Amino acid sequence: MNPDPVSGYQTYDQPTGPDHSRRNQAVGRRAALTICTIADVSAGLLGLWIVLYLLDANQGNAFVEFVHGAADWLGGWAQDIFTMDTEGLRVILNYGLPAALYLLLGHGIAARLNRA
């Protein structure tokens, strides 16, 4: 019996060797970069909303409305965790917590992917 594949047909063995390992590392790095980027953009939008709120930005402006809507969507799960009397402090904590968690989780997952 001949274990070689019939000419013209592809084998379905698992690829091995340095090219395969380099390819896996490149895919892992790309995934890590994507996760970091998503985490950074999410935290950036939340942070931008905090700054716009504290600076009393015009709530009727289209850009401010967009940032506020995105921040509400991203931080919706954390709304009213903190119920302070001071409105500015409440906004900082309720939007800052999701921003910090997105950064920590996103960069932690990316670091784990880069190690593999």
Side-chain angles (χ1 to χ4, degrees):
M1 279 214 242
N2 185 1
D4 295 332
V6 177
S7 66
Y9 289 95
Q10 176 180 348
T11 61
Y12 294 100
D13 295 333
Q14 288 293 330
T16 58
D19 287 340
H20 178 67
S21 129
R22 256 184 274 146
R23 197 171 320 128
N24 281 345
Q25 286 175 347
V27 169
R29 283 192 196 110
R30 247 181 259 129
L33 179 62
T34 302
I35 290 169
C36 273
T37 302
I38 292 170
D40 290 346
V41 168
S42 299
L45 282 168
L46 289 162
L48 182 58
W49 169 243
I50 293 170
V51 169
L52 289 173
Y53 181 84
L54 293 176
L55 294 176
D56 201 26
N58 177 9
Q59 301 287 324
N61 181 282
F63 177 71
V64 175
E65 285 179 3
F66 168 76
V67 173
H68 186 200
D72 278 346
W73 185 78
L74 290 166
W77 59 268
Q79 293 305 304
D80 297 326
I81 286 179
F82 303 101
T83 54
M84 315 314 207
D85 289 334
T86 308
E87 189 69 18
L89 183 58
R90 187 187 64 76
V91 169
I92 290 170
L93 293 174
N94 285 325
Y95 289 96
L97 174 66
L101 285 176
Y102 289 146
L103 285 174
L104 287 172
L105 289 173
H107 285 263
I109 291 169
R112 184 83 175 182
L113 286 172
N114 273 331
R115 271 190 245 137

